[in-house]
Structure formats: structure tokens, C-alpha cells
Amino acid sequence: MTLCHIFVYICEFKTKTMEQSKKYLLSEKDIPTAWFNIIPSMPVKPRPMLNPATHKPLTVEDLYPLFSEEASRQELNFTDSWIEIPEQVRDLYKIWRPTPLVRARGLEKMLDTTAKIYFKNESVSPVGSHKLNSAIPQAYYCKKQGVTNVTTETGAGQWGAALSLASRMFGLELAVYMVKISYNQKPYRRSIMQTYGAEVIASPSMSTKAGRKIITEHPNYQGSLGTAISEAVELAVSTPNCKYALGSVLNHVALHQTVIGLEAEKQMEMAGDYPDIVIGCFGGGSNFSGIAFPFLRHNLSGERSTEFIAAEPASCPKLTRGVFSYDFGDEAGYTPLIPMLSLGHNFSPANIHAGGLRYHGAGSVVSQLKNDGLIDAVDIPQLESFEAATLFAKSEGIIPAPESAHAIAAAIREARKAKEAGTSPVILFNLSGHGLIDMTAYDRFLAGDLANYEVPDNEITDNTRDLEKL
Amino acid sequence: MTLCHIFVYICEFKTKTMEQSKKYLLSEKDIPTAWFNIIPSMPVKPRPMLNPATHKPLTVEDLYPLFSEEASRQELNFTDSWIEIPEQVRDLYKIWRPTPLVRARGLEKMLDTTAKIYFKNESVSPVGSHKLNSAIPQAYYCKKQGVTNVTTETGAGQWGAALSLASRMFGLELAVYMVKISYNQKPYRRSIMQTYGAEVIASPSMSTKAGRKIITEHPNYQGSLGTAISEAVELAVSTPNCKYALGSVLNHVALHQTVIGLEAEKQMEMAGDYPDIVIGCFGGGSNFSGIAFPFLRHNLSGERSTEFIAAEPASCPKLTRGVFSYDFGDEAGYTPLIPMLSLGHNFSPANIHAGGLRYHGAGSVVSQLKNDGLIDAVDIPQLESFEAATLFAKSEGIIPAPESAHAIAAAIREARKAKEAGTSPVILFNLSGHGLIDMTAYDRFLAGDLANYEVPDNEITDNTRDLEKL
């Protein structure tokens, strides 16, 4: 046996071994020690958020009454590319992080595609989604400055569940305003929050002025995220030692979520691949930013030319059909003015089962990136998302969250395109959560009881009429 | 700095690093290549199962009409200590295996105990429990011999969900008879099975003679595991190319579950510890056997003296109060006679939320081991199990399955004993599943709406009157 033979043998062995890998796992010491802040790398920085009263650029101090001081500083940090993850936060990340990077061989086989498909499995967190990545540092920063009480709102309940666990870990009392229709329709998520010890209040409620007003005027109102935000904010600012926490849209939330992409980067290296296409589903931007930004920095530095696709629901098409303008983050208009791709803060999306994607606007960083052509977006109809979800469950075993199903659907579109074109792109998507608590949606899909929702042009025009284009 | 200083520095660094570890992770190549069969190592072998018609020891061929041939052979294998895991089974194990071994530092802190507590986290499987460990090989062996259809029964739905996914992976058609009360009370588990493509039938049903008979006689009967078994067996034996699969009690099921303990053994070594106490919850024996047998072999060889504790519900106390005798595996009396610790095959356990533990008997191996004093058992009242579950959720983040909560409760008892005695035992328990689909139970617990169920002596005496003690 010559040296050359031995070399060939080793290569073949290595190939065989690599072919058999399903998951790429890191150890706890590989949990990132810093989050990646994309803003300093952006060719065009996002415009400043505006104080709604003065219409002047928001200062860090403007945010102190609402958020913890550290979260406020992170929100407006346009200079530091890396922000250290506190030791106590990393310790709690260890409960479920690093999460696996998985080669979706089952899905590839079922699609008979020439593409390689990978997914980052954020569904392994104890609350079943990526939301815990930001809930833990937000609770930590509150605790650190002596805050005792926290408030938030939740729609489908993913964020509420994550903040309930994080608050418990730091001994904070949490009040969650849960949109009334979800409170009644999704009792499991409510029970999860209560099991962790949070107080869950159906919104609108009689516990706040905003709630009492709307109940008095519309006794049967089933609630909205906008109303729930108003209630949570009102309780936070009127309670001593109390702060409010938000699970998406804002810069500091996207920042915390970058642990997803930073881990995935190392894992793709283990797999011997680099993604040609990175995909995340899109509600306000937290999981998409988390998987995309760390890879996007290599595009911005000119080293790579990866394609980034945000997969939003066709019934809430802010990225593809929204107006780039200053708009409020909530329906009632209490929040700062955010420079965002928006469908108008009064836009009322159809009642699709991907509750986490029913939001009218995109965060300021993603909006700027989209406006500058640095990321793409696609609209996924509800039925296509559930067809993708079911295919994924049958081939990879995991029943995905209805939100994550949008990313899967976009990945399947790309894999089918590749098959037709005879190309072999490396596709990476983020599986932001599992759907075990969303089985009602699957039941309805199997029963043929779900529909697609198109948004007529005039509905968007009407809702964005008063917005000034940027 | 002397060499001695450097040595001390390294040791301190190592200690510090080890203290910070939360999870002990293996790579895919560490998935065991063989299952451990404990029977050859047992000082007293279990008595043979008997053919119910002839009362003669069961032969492998007697089992062929029911199970796949390989499962039948494994069931009666009293000679091989190690049975190779087929490559295709190991490949599918990679979807979620190896599972993490976790140091329960949060729980230790909350209990302020001197004990070290570890748990093996089997809840990370895509169906949320350990049941997939046996569902995959059982489906594989069916496929391998050309079987096209599989039947089974399920109570709470953990086994049914696992076999639904395993059957889909091998392209087998599965019919699941689900106990009617669970079919109606646990719609999420039913939807999971249907999403994987299984047919789920509420039992009793009109699709079998056994079902039609009972519906005719008792139109409002809400079903039982015994009736569901009868229906699944009847369908299997009357359908060409169809086999039946069972998720607990039997030897081959316990065999497949030993991947749990075999992985845990390596992981405890990584952690630098060896368990003084190993705990599993107990229904028919599958997860308890899985975590215990690999460690028990070192007791049987005289190397170790670990304590093994099976945690059963106080409302179904087969191990602590059952009669060691030949009894049927089902209520109707269709199965072979099994030498088991039994409460009588007509024993009707209270409707506790740990549906997976509501079974009248223990498998023949565990029964023999218990009879010979090689393992212990404790009874856990329902309220204690939910108190333990809630404590665990708040300290470790994971909401456990009501079944697994019994193991946690037993571990907490041991940790409290250790604190009182000032000892520092190493406790290892198996977290067999998560409780995200059992939130109704938690809701009821939080509402103070759950009760304990004591079994009066005369109820056990009545049900075991006809059993001949071994």
C-alpha cells in the first residue's frame, strides 16, 4: 500500500464518516461569549427612532422608564460590533444551548433535491422556541439594577412563556397580558406561564386604564397585541421597580438572538459547508436576525455573497408590500416612532395560526437592510406553510411551529428550484420552534379547514395613507 | 512558579471548568452499537411466559403471528448479553440521540441539598419521550420481513405518537387504537399521530369484533387499555402482512430502552461521578429498565452497589403491593401468561394524569429482580408528583411529563434524606418525557383540583384472589 493509497483511503473514510453525520453539536464552552451587533457594519445605518412627543431622535434616557438601563443602551448602540454576554446569562443558556445544527437528509430525500439542506434547531429550548435567548438577558439586566417586577404582552404565548421562565430564574415577578382570544384558544401556553409562576391576564382587562376604557366601549372585544402592549406599558410605568420587556422588533432583541447564527457558523464549518442561502421566518425580526446577521457580516465585508430570505406570511406582507416610513410599534400609538417597513400600525392581519408572525412592521435594522437590497423576502400562503410543515414532520420527525413552517416552505421552494436548475446550493434555515402546543392548527389543516388570505392592495393603501415614505 | 504551583493551578482550573458544566454531551458515534440484555446476567432467570391455551412455556414461534420475527426472538433471548443495533436504527436514533445528561444544579440549589443530582433527558426526542427508542427498531424489523401494516394501542398517546413517527419513517401503515376517554381528552396527542400519517381509532370501535361486542353491551363505555389491546391484536392477526407492536412490559422493549443507560454510563464518567442511586418512573417498566439495567449489571458482577428505585404511582402500586404470580398482560386475558408482580389484570387504577403509569403489572424481568431484592420501589402520591414537577420546572426550566414527575419526586425524597443525614450521594434519574402536551393536568394541579388516590387493601385482595403466588 503506497502513501497515495493510504491518503485516498483516509479521504474515503472521512467522506463516509461525514456522510453519516446527522447533527453537528458544539459543547457548552462554544456558546458565544459576545453577541454580534450588525449596526456598525451596515453601509447605511438605520435612521434614529423618534420620541413620539417631540419627534426628536430618541435618547438612551428616554428608554429608561420602560426598559432596563443596559437594554436601553444596547438598543441605541451604533458603535460596538460585539457586546459581551454576561457570565450568568451564559450559565442559563447552558440549560439548552448550544442547539444542534441538523442536516435535513430526510427532507432532502423526500424532495429528491440536489440541494443540501441544514437547519438550526432552536426548538430544543425548554419553552420550545428561540425566545428564551433574549428573555434571559432582559430578565438578568432587570434583576441586576434592582428591578423586582416585569410586565410584557404575548399573542400566541411563545414570548410570554420564555419570559415567565427567565423571570422565575432571577426571582422576578412577571405579569403577562395575553391577547384575550389566545388566552381562551391556547390554554396550554397560558398554563405553561402559570406553571413557571407568572400572572397571566387576559387583555383587555380591568387592571389598567387602557383596558377598562376599551372594555367599557367594546364589551366583547377579544383583544389585540396593540392593546396588550398598552396595558403592559401602563402597568410598568405606574408600578415602582417595574420594567417592561419586548420579545421582537427592537435592536437589543435581535442582538441577543445572534447566538443562533454565531453557533451555526461554527457548526457549518464542522459540516464542511458554508450557506449559499440563509432563511428565517419573519414576524418582527427576532429569529430571522438571529440566524442571518452573523452570516450577513461576511457579505458586508465583501468575503461572501450569501442570499438572505425572510419568509413572511402572505396575509401580513410588511417586507414585500409595506411602506418604508416612520410608524408606531403598537396599534394605539404609544411607542417611539420606528423607521420601518410597515403595513400601517392599524393593519389588522387575518387570524392565521402563525400567531407570532401577525405583526404590522419590521424592526429598523431589517427594514434598512431590505430597503438597501441586502436581504430578500418572500410571502408564504398559509396552506403552503402547513404543507411544508407536514412534509417536514414526516421526513425529519419534528412537528414545527406554524411560524417556523414559513421558513421550511421557503427552503423547500429553493430546494425545488435547485433541482430544476440542476444546481446544488447549501441552504440553511432556522427552525425557531416546535409545534407541539399548536396541534389545533394541524388538526384544522388535516380537516381541510384552513384557508389562504390575500391582502387586497387597497387595504394596504388605506392603512398606510398617512405614512410619509422615507 | 514551581511545578507544584502549576499543578495546583491546573487542578483548580479543571475543577472550575467542571463546576461550570451543565450538560454532558456525547457525539453521534457514541450512540451504542448494541443493546444490553440483562437476562444472562441475572442470578435467578425470569420464569418463562406461558402459552395461555396450553399453559406450556411459550416458544418463539408462538409469538410470530403477533410480533416481527426478530422481536419474537429477542423476547425469548436468555443467552446473548449484547444484541447488535442495526445500522438503519442507529441512523434514525441520530435524529435526537445521544440525549444529554444534565446536572440538575438548579434543583440542587432550590433543595439546598448535599446530594448531587443528574438526569438523563429523554424528553428531547421529537415526540417528547423515550418511547421512540423501541418504536424505531420494532418498525424496522417489521419492514425488514416485508410487513406492510402495523397495529397498536395507546392510552395517553406517548407510545402511539412514537410508533406513528417510526412507521412513517419506514413507510408502514399504522392503525392506533386509542382509549376513547384519552381520544377525547387529549386531542393534541391524537393530532400528532395523525400528522405523522397514522390512522387513530377511538377504542372501543366498530372496526373489530371485540369492539362491537363491548359497544353493543355498554354503549357509553369510555374504553380501557385492555380493550384497546384486544382490538389491536384482533386487527393484526386478521389482516394479511400485519403485525402488532407493544411499547412496554415485554423483554424486547426493555432491551431497546437500554440505550438510555448505556449512554448515561459514558456521560457519568465524563462528569467524573458514578451513581449511588438510579431512579426511573414505573408503568410497565420500559424507561426504568432502560436507565437501570446497564448500571445494574455492575451490581450483578459485584463491582458496584448502586441502589435502584422504581417510582410508581400510589394509585397503582404493583411493585410494592402486587402479588408475584402468573397473570395476563391485558384485561381481557388474550395475551400470554406473564410471571409478574400484578394487581390483577382486572385492576382498574384511578384516573390519574400520569396515564402511562396506569398498568396493573410489571414485566417479568423487573418482577424477578424486585422479588430477589435487587431493585427497590416507592409509591408516589399524585399531589407529591405534581409538587415535584412544578419545583423541577421552576428550577430546571423543563416541564416534565406527569409520568416522569414520579421519578423526580423520588429523587427529591432521596436528596432531602441526604441533607438530613449530611451525606452526598450521587443521584441519577431518567426524565422520560416532557409535559408540554399534558398542560391540562398542570392546570388542574394549580387550581387545587387534583387528589391523591389510596388503594384499599381489600381492592387488591379482591383482584388478586385467583392468582397463584410464585
Side-chain angles (χ1 to χ4, degrees):
Chain A
M1 198 181 231
T2 65
L3 262 180
C4 184
H5 276 116
I6 292 173
F7 181 74
V8 168
Y9 178 80
I10 290 172
C11 288
E12 276 175 355
F13 180 77
K14 205 180 159 199
T15 309
K16 202 183 157 202
T17 312
M18 284 177 65
E19 270 175 13
Q20 292 170 333
S21 286
K22 174 75 183 160
K23 301 186 300 302
Y24 298 89
L25 303 173
L26 300 170
S27 65
E28 291 179 351
K29 66 175 170 40
D30 299 314
I31 295 174
T33 52
W35 293 298
F36 173 63
N37 180 14
I38 199 170
I39 300 175
S41 316
M42 290 169 71
V44 182
K45 306 284 178 270
R47 286 172 175 77
M49 288 193 276
L50 304 180
N51 183 316
T54 63
H55 278 231
K56 281 187 184 161
L58 209 69
T59 64
V60 172
E61 290 74 17
D62 286 339
L63 291 172
Y64 284 174
L66 221 50
F67 302 115
S68 71
E69 292 181 9
E70 181 56 29
S72 303
R73 279 191 293 273
Q74 290 176 359
E75 186 58 30
L76 299 189
N77 188 327
F78 276 44
T79 49
D80 302 313
S81 294
W82 298 95
I83 292 173
E84 199 188 331
I85 305 177
E87 197 54 41
Q88 276 184 271
V89 171
R90 285 187 82 237
D91 264 354
L92 288 175
Y93 276 172
K94 288 180 189 169
I95 288 178
W96 79 105
R97 303 208 73 84
T99 63
L101 177 80
V102 187
R103 175 79 183 271
R105 293 181 194 283
L107 182 63
E108 287 173 16
K109 200 174 155 193
M110 199 177 272
L111 296 172
D112 187 27
T113 177
T114 45
K116 285 186 187 178
I117 308 176
Y118 293 85
F119 64 92
K120 180 74 169 160
N121 187 0
E122 290 292 307
S123 80
V124 299
S125 102
V127 293
S129 85
H130 70 294
K131 291 290 186 191
L132 206 48
N133 295 329
S134 184
I136 287 175
Q138 289 197 54
Y140 168 77
Y141 292 130
C142 284
K143 181 69 182 182
K144 207 181 151 198
Q145 73 177 72
V147 166
T148 54
N149 292 60
V150 183
T151 72
T152 197
E153 77 293 323
T154 200
Q158 293 272 31
W159 168 246
L163 195 63
S164 297
L165 174 54
S167 298
R168 175 54 45 214
M169 292 289 177
F170 289 107
L172 299 165
E173 294 303 318
L174 173 68
V176 183
Y177 287 92
M178 186 173 188
V179 176
K180 193 173 274 179
I181 192 164
S182 294
Y183 184 93
N184 292 320
Q185 280 181 350
K186 294 178 189 277
Y188 280 30
R189 281 255 165 65
R190 168 172 55 73
S191 307
I192 289 170
M193 294 185 258
Q194 290 168 333
T195 298
Y196 288 133
E199 188 183 346
V200 187
I201 307 122
S203 168
S205 76
M206 296 299 279
S207 69
T208 64
K209 276 187 212 165
R212 283 192 295 275
K213 183 165 183 289
I214 208 155
I215 288 179
T216 311
E217 287 168 9
H218 310 281
N220 295 317
Y221 185 53
Q222 290 301 300
S224 75
L225 219 39
T227 308
I229 293 179
S230 306
E231 291 205 90
V233 166
E234 187 186 318
L235 185 65
V237 298
S238 62
T239 305
N241 253 334
C242 184
K243 297 291 168 195
Y244 166 72
L246 193 70
S248 192
V249 182
L250 296 175
N251 298 341
H252 67 280
V253 183
L255 174 78
H256 301 155
Q257 294 295 349
T258 58
V259 288
I260 302 172
L262 292 169
E263 284 180 8
E265 206 185 336
K266 286 189 198 175
Q267 291 165 310
M268 290 298 305
E269 211 178 304
M270 287 168 73
D273 274 322
Y274 190 91
D276 298 304
I277 303 165
V278 173
I279 300 169
C281 66
F282 200 91
S286 81
N287 99 89
F288 172 77
S289 304
I291 187 91
F293 289 178
F295 290 100
L296 184 55
R297 81 184 194 276
H298 301 301
N299 274 22
L300 298 180
S301 70
E303 294 159 80
R304 298 280 186 176
S305 53
T306 298
E307 188 182 353
F308 296 88
I309 304 174
E312 63 183 7
S315 55
C316 196
K318 69 214 89 171
L319 292 174
T320 51
R321 297 169 65 195
V323 174
F324 190 42
S325 56
Y326 272 106
D327 199 2
F328 292 105
D330 66 328
E331 274 179 70
Y334 292 167
T335 70
L337 284 158
I338 304 172
M340 49 160 58
L341 278 162
S342 175
L343 296 165
H345 63 277
N346 294 127
F347 178 80
S348 175
N351 196 14
I352 57 166
H353 280 273
L357 308 185
R358 295 175 69 247
Y359 186 73
H360 68 279
S364 66
V365 169
V366 167
S367 295
Q368 188 65 50
L369 291 167
K370 175 72 174 59
N371 200 53
D372 294 342
L374 297 168
I375 61 168
D376 294 325
V378 291
D379 294 342
I380 307 287
Q382 176 159 261
L383 290 177
E384 185 181 341
S385 75
F386 276 96
E387 278 151 19
T390 308
L391 203 66
F392 185 75
K394 288 180 175 174
S395 57
E396 293 293 326
I398 304 166
I399 297 180
E403 290 84 1
S404 318
H406 290 71
I408 301 171
I412 290 174
R413 281 189 189 179
E414 295 301 319
R416 286 188 170 140
K417 266 192 238 168
K419 190 185 170 183
E420 274 173 37
T423 55
S424 304
V426 175
I427 301 169
L428 166 66
F429 71 85
N430 191 37
L431 185 75
S432 56
H434 66 63
L436 294 179
I437 319 175
D438 302 280
M439 294 313 302
T440 315
Y442 282 87
D443 239 14
R444 291 192 57 197
F445 174 66
L446 291 174
D449 195 21
L450 290 186
N452 286 331
Y453 299 93
E454 289 291 321
V455 185
D457 281 336
N458 66 322
E459 198 180 324
I460 297 177
T461 319
D462 287 354
N463 273 292
T464 56
R465 194 181 306 279
D466 298 335
L467 299 178
E468 227 170 280
K469 277 189 193 170
L470 289 172
Chain B
M1 200 179 230
T2 66
L3 262 182
C4 183
H5 276 115
I6 292 173
F7 181 73
V8 168
Y9 179 80
I10 290 172
C11 287
E12 277 175 353
F13 180 78
K14 207 181 158 197
T15 308
K16 201 182 158 202
T17 311
M18 283 178 64
E19 271 175 12
Q20 292 170 333
S21 286
K22 173 75 183 159
K23 301 186 299 303
Y24 298 89
L25 302 172
L26 299 170
S27 65
E28 292 179 351
K29 67 175 170 37
D30 298 314
I31 294 173
T33 53
W35 293 298
F36 173 63
N37 180 13
I38 199 170
I39 301 176
S41 315
M42 289 170 71
V44 181
K45 307 282 179 270
R47 286 172 176 78
M49 288 193 276
L50 303 180
N51 182 316
T54 63
H55 278 230
K56 283 189 185 157
L58 208 70
T59 65
V60 171
E61 289 74 18
D62 286 340
L63 292 172
Y64 283 174
L66 222 49
F67 302 115
S68 72
E69 292 181 10
E70 181 56 29
S72 303
R73 280 192 292 274
Q74 289 176 358
E75 185 59 29
L76 299 188
N77 189 327
F78 277 43
T79 49
D80 302 312
S81 293
W82 297 96
I83 292 172
E84 198 188 331
I85 305 177
E87 198 54 41
Q88 275 184 272
V89 171
R90 285 188 82 239
D91 264 354
L92 287 175
Y93 276 172
K94 288 179 189 169
I95 289 178
W96 79 104
R97 302 209 73 85
T99 62
L101 177 80
V102 187
R103 175 79 183 270
R105 293 182 194 282
L107 182 62
E108 287 173 16
K109 199 173 156 193
M110 199 176 272
L111 296 172
D112 188 26
T113 177
T114 44
K116 285 187 186 178
I117 308 177
Y118 293 86
F119 63 93
K120 180 73 169 160
N121 187 1
E122 289 292 306
S123 80
V124 299
S125 102
V127 293
S129 85
H130 70 293
K131 291 291 185 190
L132 207 48
N133 295 330
S134 184
I136 288 175
Q138 289 197 53
Y140 168 76
Y141 292 130
C142 284
K143 181 69 181 181
K144 206 181 151 197
Q145 73 177 74
V147 167
T148 53
N149 292 61
V150 183
T151 72
T152 197
E153 78 292 325
T154 200
Q158 292 273 30
W159 168 246
L163 195 63
S164 297
L165 174 53
S167 299
R168 175 55 45 215
M169 292 289 177
F170 290 107
L172 298 165
E173 293 304 319
L174 173 67
V176 182
Y177 287 92
M178 186 173 188
V179 176
K180 193 173 273 177
I181 191 164
S182 294
Y183 184 93
N184 292 319
Q185 281 182 348
K186 295 178 190 276
Y188 280 30
R189 281 253 167 65
R190 169 171 56 73
S191 307
I192 290 171
M193 294 185 257
Q194 290 168 333
T195 298
Y196 288 134
E199 189 183 345
V200 187
I201 308 123
S203 169
S205 77
M206 295 300 279
S207 69
T208 63
K209 276 186 210 164
R212 283 192 295 274
K213 182 166 184 289
I214 207 155
I215 287 179
T216 311
E217 286 167 9
H218 310 279
N220 295 318
Y221 185 54
Q222 289 300 299
S224 75
L225 218 40
T227 307
I229 293 178
S230 306
E231 292 204 90
V233 167
E234 186 186 319
L235 185 66
V237 297
S238 62
T239 306
N241 253 333
C242 184
K243 297 291 168 194
Y244 166 73
L246 193 69
S248 191
V249 182
L250 296 175
N251 298 341
H252 67 280
V253 183
L255 175 78
H256 302 154
Q257 295 294 349
T258 58
V259 289
I260 302 172
L262 292 169
E263 285 180 7
E265 206 185 336
K266 286 188 200 177
Q267 291 165 309
M268 290 298 305
E269 211 178 303
M270 288 167 71
D273 274 322
Y274 190 90
D276 298 304
I277 304 166
V278 172
I279 300 169
C281 66
F282 200 92
S286 80
N287 99 89
F288 172 77
S289 305
I291 187 90
F293 289 178
F295 290 100
L296 183 55
R297 81 183 195 277
H298 301 303
N299 275 22
L300 298 180
S301 70
E303 293 160 79
R304 297 280 185 176
S305 53
T306 298
E307 188 181 355
F308 295 90
I309 304 174
E312 62 183 8
S315 55
C316 196
K318 69 214 90 169
L319 292 175
T320 49
R321 298 169 65 195
V323 174
F324 190 41
S325 57
Y326 271 106
D327 199 2
F328 292 105
D330 67 327
E331 274 179 70
Y334 292 167
T335 71
L337 284 158
I338 305 172
M340 50 160 58
L341 278 162
S342 175
L343 296 165
H345 63 277
N346 294 126
F347 177 80
S348 175
N351 197 14
I352 56 166
H353 279 273
L357 307 186
R358 295 175 70 248
Y359 186 72
H360 68 278
S364 65
V365 170
V366 167
S367 294
Q368 188 64 50
L369 291 168
K370 174 70 175 61
N371 201 52
D372 295 342
L374 297 168
I375 61 167
D376 294 325
V378 292
D379 293 343
I380 307 286
Q382 175 159 264
L383 291 177
E384 184 181 340
S385 75
F386 276 96
E387 278 151 18
T390 307
L391 203 66
F392 185 75
K394 288 180 175 174
S395 57
E396 293 293 325
I398 304 166
I399 297 180
E403 290 83 3
S404 318
H406 290 71
I408 301 171
I412 290 175
R413 282 190 189 179
E414 293 301 319
R416 287 189 170 139
K417 267 193 238 169
K419 191 185 170 185
E420 274 174 36
T423 55
S424 305
V426 175
I427 301 169
L428 167 66
F429 71 86
N430 190 37
L431 185 76
S432 57
H434 66 63
L436 293 179
I437 318 174
D438 302 279
M439 293 314 301
T440 315
Y442 282 87
D443 239 14
R444 291 193 57 199
F445 173 66
L446 291 174
D449 195 21
L450 290 186
N452 286 331
Y453 298 93
E454 289 291 320
V455 184
D457 281 335
N458 67 322
E459 199 179 323
I460 297 178
T461 319
D462 287 354
N463 273 293
T464 56
R465 196 181 305 279
D466 298 335
L467 299 179
E468 227 170 279
K469 278 189 191 168
L470 290 171

